[in-house]
Amino acid sequence: MSFHCIVCIKQVPHPGHFSKINLDPVTGAIRRAGIPSVLNPLDKNVIEEALCIRERFSGKVTAITMGPPQAREVLEEAYALGADEGVLLCDLTLAGADSLATAYTLAKGIQKIGKYDLVLCGNESIDGATQQVGPQLAELLGIPHVTHVVEVNWLNEREAVVKRAIEYGYLKVKVKMPAVMTVVKSINTCRLPSVLDIMGAAGKEVQKWGCCDINGATECVGLPGSPTRVIGIVQVESKRKREMLKGSEEEMAKSAVKRLREYGVI
Amino acid sequence: MDFTFSRPHEMLRSMVREYAEKEVAPKWESYAQEGDEFPCETLSRCGQLGLIGLLVPKKYGGSEMGYLARMIAIEEISKVYAGLGANLRGWSLVPHLLTTAGTEEQKEKYLPALCRGEIQGSIATTEATSGSDFGAWPVEVTTDGNDYIINCRKVMISRSTVSDVFGILVKGEKGYSTFLIEKNMPGVQTGHREKLISCTSRNSPTGDLVITNCRVSKDYLVGPEGKGIGIALSTIGGAGRTGGAGVCLGIAEASFDIALKYSKERIIYGKPLHDLQSIKFMLGDMATRIECAKFLSYSVSWMQDQGRKSAELNKETAMAKLYASETAMSNTLKAIEILGGYGTAPEFGLIPRLKSALDMIAAAGSNNTLRRNIGDAVVA
């Protein structure tokens, strides 16, 4: 039996240029002009996990992403790392999607791809960081999901015990395939592509599908399909009260404790 | 004119940067320590990633991605640790020599292992008594029937104690010839190890190669007998100098980044340090020099990728290495000045970069030799 793993990946602004990103005060949209784009860093771990599963069970890895034409670049990176096939969901009608419309579009794309055993996503993207797409995708596909995955122990090709991070510990859950898993960075260490891998990835064919190709309902994709509305943007200002304490170290420590108690901090 | 990098070049840069930051950065101080134990893991890892065979055809184990790719790889590694960048430059010289002038048998025998990083090679041309003054070299090779007998002492040979094969240039009765010599051949010895500024580090064993009555057959001759100078200089210029430019570019950029970061974080007179006009002038000069060095280095690599022969690009390769080398020196010194008292503190990493910049003044043709070459070309 061969195992088909679909990895959902995303092109995001380069983290090194985050300080240059600003928001449109009217629409609330992120202004990305002039900011280079990269593969969401966590998605490398997603691809790595899929490659490990392929090495274990054989089969194939399909990478899927939604975005503008240049989002093809992240599929090339997936190819370089070892993905077998790439799908780009690209259409003007898909623009402006929130997490729900994104999950809907990805679900439609995945359904068009056909049979699959596992859908792997990053727990969050470095830009939006909603953590919503994975669970929403699972709901739309009608399959179980596990989030914050740090370890997968396969019982067989149809079943795995998954360790997921929760506050103050871990939770182990048994999940049957097909399922959606969203992984965190500590799940694995990513491999690097070789020069030949990179050269092989360039120009490799990518399936490009628009809204019609995936039988998407226009009211469910892009801006019309996005119930999330940005109603305001607030610039967070950090204001700190500063107070210099005087005296010996012991006196200053006692004063600090006293003042912190007065402020109700301790 | 289109100055954009291709997508594979961008992906290569990203991959090499990740390798350098994740795998080299945590260990570079260990590599730079004094000692004899060469860090072989860097050789095998660079081979595994395909960074050694960038100029070698796929049929011999390389990728043939080209000179610009090699420039990018050396530059990115040198930003983190110039010592490894210099080795990556050196590791591709014998492969370049064999690719451009070797026989089919030599290519099949050596190139796959060299590209994989299973063995390493060095170029050995500098003659002990008269260096680059070829005319003053003594006769180093004679013929005996179908064999050659080699006697020579080559000095300042990078990785002399750890290389498995040496591409040597020797003077004979029919002029200068290039041979490939294996370290285990009878009569081949490594001699004195230099104690220069960075040559004592375990990463950079540099010293003499002494060859005494070493008998080799024609199978070890690289290219036609008597044509050795052109063959060796093609590799030294086409791959050695451009590689040196890449190393220097990495040093210059890293020094600038360190200075810029410090000047943003250091508050003086209530403002970031870079608000002082004198500091801003220095940062401006450093950035401008980097862009000039990049242009010279990338453009000559691009010309090589378009099929221009190394012999046609002597002036351009010399300009790239000369300017990048002086930029590396200038930028490290300016960065030290900007950091003030912290400029020589180990945690900022400027002194190792200054040492590497000093090394590069002499590597692959000293800067004054390059000036003379450029001058010869422009007055011709």
Side-chain angles (χ1 to χ4, degrees):
Chain A
M1 183 180 165
S2 75
F3 197 98
H4 186 194
C5 193
I6 296 178
V7 293
C8 300
I9 60 177
K10 185 182 181 186
Q11 192 175 42
V12 296
H14 194 299
H17 295 255
F18 274 6
S19 60
K20 295 172 191 163
I21 294 175
N22 55 47
L23 299 175
D24 186 313
V26 178
T27 64
I30 297 174
R31 287 171 169 163
R32 296 180 181 180
I35 309 291
S37 300
V38 293
L39 174 65
N40 182 44
L42 184 55
D43 293 350
K44 289 186 182 177
N45 300 83
V46 174
I47 296 166
E48 176 65 33
E49 197 59 24
L51 297 175
C52 292
I53 293 168
R54 188 181 65 186
E55 283 161 9
R56 184 184 183 99
F57 296 132
S58 81
K60 70 173 179 178
V61 174
T62 301
I64 185 169
T65 190
M66 183 186 83
Q70 61 268 29
R72 177 198 159 86
E73 292 173 358
V74 295
L75 294 172
E76 287 173 350
E77 285 192 54
Y79 278 144
L81 287 165
D84 302 290
E85 290 175 10
V87 176
L88 172 62
L89 303 172
C90 180
D91 194 325
L92 281 177
T93 60
L94 306 180
D98 68 359
S99 63
L100 184 64
T102 301
Y104 173 83
T105 309
L106 286 172
K108 284 297 198 181
I110 289 168
Q111 283 164 348
K112 183 175 168 69
I113 289 169
K115 187 183 168 305
Y116 59 90
D117 299 288
L118 176 65
V119 178
L120 278 173
C121 309
N123 207 56
E124 64 187 61
S125 62
I126 204 166
D127 55 351
T130 66
Q131 304 189 6
Q132 292 172 357
V133 172
Q136 287 171 335
L137 180 58
E139 285 299 308
L140 290 165
L141 292 171
I143 57 177
H145 73 268
V146 190
T147 59
H148 298 86
V149 174
V150 295
E151 192 178 305
V152 183
N153 292 298
W154 291 94
L155 301 174
N156 53 59
E157 291 173 34
R158 308 306 314 155
E159 210 171 16
V161 173
V162 179
K163 188 175 168 186
R164 60 186 298 259
I166 56 172
E167 203 171 16
Y168 307 122
Y170 298 98
L171 196 64
K172 279 188 177 176
V173 295
K174 191 186 280 186
V175 61
K176 287 187 176 173
M177 301 304 116
V180 173
M181 293 185 200
T182 70
V183 307
V184 299
K185 196 155 191 62
S186 61
I187 192 169
N188 54 39
T189 304
C190 305
R191 69 193 70 188
L192 288 173
S194 72
V195 173
L196 282 177
D197 294 332
I198 288 169
M199 291 176 75
K204 204 168 173 181
E205 192 186 349
V206 166
Q207 291 281 349
K208 189 176 166 189
W209 294 337
C211 189
C212 294
D213 299 314
I214 56 175
N215 291 322
T218 50
E219 68 275 18
C220 296
V221 300
L223 201 56
S226 301
T228 310
R229 289 287 178 273
V230 179
I231 56 170
I233 302 166
V234 178
Q235 182 84 34
V236 178
E237 285 185 34
S238 175
K239 288 182 181 172
R240 289 182 180 177
K241 186 171 182 176
R242 279 181 274 183
E243 198 173 320
M244 290 296 288
L245 302 174
K246 290 180 180 171
S248 67
E249 286 178 6
E250 196 176 335
E251 287 166 346
M252 285 194 288
K254 281 181 182 169
S255 301
V257 171
K258 184 168 172 271
R259 300 295 282 148
L260 289 170
R261 285 209 172 110
E262 284 170 8
Y263 287 125
V265 179
I266 56 173
Chain B
M1 295 176 81
D2 183 359
F3 288 100
T4 53
F5 286 107
S6 70
R7 184 72 188 131
H9 283 138
E10 285 178 354
M11 288 168 73
L12 174 78
R13 187 184 290 281
S14 170
M15 179 270 277
V16 179
R17 185 174 292 175
E18 197 171 337
Y19 162 61
E21 288 175 353
K22 288 188 176 168
E23 299 183 35
V24 180
K27 292 183 178 175
W28 79 264
E29 283 175 290
S30 146
Y31 301 151
Q33 280 174 0
E34 286 195 16
D36 296 326
E37 189 195 348
F38 185 77
C40 291
E41 69 268 23
T42 56
L43 172 67
S44 55
R45 186 67 172 130
C46 285
Q48 188 185 37
L49 291 172
L51 300 177
I52 300 173
L54 287 163
L55 303 178
V56 176
K58 287 181 185 172
K59 67 183 281 200
Y60 303 116
S63 64
E64 215 171 0
M65 195 171 180
Y67 290 88
L68 185 54
R70 178 172 172 270
M71 177 68 73
I72 290 168
I74 294 173
E75 176 193 357
E76 285 301 324
I77 287 181
S78 299
K79 282 183 191 171
V80 171
Y81 179 39
L84 180 57
N87 279 355
L88 183 59
R89 162 191 168 271
W91 287 329
S92 55
L93 296 183
V94 171
H96 181 273
L97 176 76
L98 292 179
T99 299
T100 52
T103 63
E104 193 62 23
E105 290 73 23
Q106 288 167 346
K107 290 175 185 174
E108 285 176 0
K109 183 177 178 185
Y110 296 106
L111 284 176
L114 285 163
C115 290
R116 287 194 296 266
E118 290 168 1
I119 61 170
Q120 56 180 312
S122 296
I123 292 289
T125 56
T126 308
E127 198 273 331
T129 56
S130 48
S132 302
D133 180 7
F134 297 124
W137 287 12
V139 171
E140 298 167 301
V141 59
T142 53
T143 51
D144 182 17
N146 288 327
D147 290 343
Y148 297 93
I149 311 294
I150 302 172
N151 284 283
C152 65
R153 185 162 78 90
K154 300 294 180 184
V155 297
M156 296 286 179
I157 308 307
S158 303
R159 290 164 292 103
S160 60
T161 59
V162 291
S163 274
D164 303 278
V165 290
F166 297 90
I168 64 165
L169 176 67
V170 284
K171 185 178 180 182
E173 294 143 354
K174 295 181 185 172
Y176 299 82
S177 301
T178 306
F179 289 87
L180 199 69
I181 298 296
E182 296 176 10
K183 73 171 178 185
N184 293 326
M185 285 177 168
V188 177
Q189 288 178 296
T190 54
H192 168 73
R193 182 172 165 184
E194 299 294 346
K195 293 186 171 56
L196 306 177
I197 199 161
S198 63
C199 295
T200 54
S201 88
R202 50 192 288 253
N203 181 74
S204 310
T206 300
D208 294 1
L209 177 69
V210 182
I211 301 177
T212 312
N213 290 326
C214 177
R215 177 182 289 270
V216 294
S217 69
K218 281 187 163 45
D219 294 343
Y220 293 90
L221 182 65
V222 182
E225 190 176 356
K227 302 286 184 191
I229 287 185
I231 291 165
L233 287 185
S234 166
T235 288
I236 292 168
R241 286 179 188 165
T242 52
V247 174
C248 295
L249 204 46
I251 297 169
E253 289 176 88
S255 301
F256 173 75
D257 290 344
I258 292 165
L260 182 63
K261 184 170 184 286
Y262 182 84
S263 73
K264 285 182 176 177
E265 291 170 355
R266 173 77 164 163
I267 305 296
I268 191 128
Y269 309 125
K271 292 177 179 176
L273 183 63
H274 61 61
D275 269 14
L276 293 178
Q277 194 179 46
S278 56
I279 301 296
K280 203 165 270 179
F281 279 179
M282 282 199 279
L283 290 169
D285 283 344
M286 292 164 83
T288 305
R289 288 201 70 122
I290 288 170
E291 289 308 308
C292 294
K294 274 186 182 175
F295 179 79
L296 288 169
S297 304
Y298 293 159
S299 63
V300 72
S301 303
W302 179 84
M303 284 188 263
Q304 289 176 300
D305 284 339
Q306 303 312 303
R308 298 276 298 277
K309 300 286 180 208
S310 298
E312 301 168 17
L313 296 170
N314 274 336
K315 181 185 72 178
E316 288 79 4
T317 55
M319 283 177 167
K321 190 261 167 173
L322 169 66
Y323 194 82
S325 164
E326 298 206 330
T327 299
M329 273 303 298
S330 165
N331 277 15
T332 47
L333 288 171
K334 279 197 169 72
I336 288 168
E337 203 175 338
I338 289 170
L339 266 68
Y342 292 111
T344 54
E347 58 266 37
F348 287 96
L350 286 169
I351 292 301
R353 290 184 167 87
L354 178 63
K355 286 181 183 176
S356 296
L358 285 166
D359 279 345
M360 294 311 297
I361 289 175
S366 73
N367 284 358
N368 280 334
T369 300
L370 300 181
R371 274 193 187 84
R372 193 191 66 204
N373 292 348
I374 297 163
D376 286 346
V378 297
V379 300

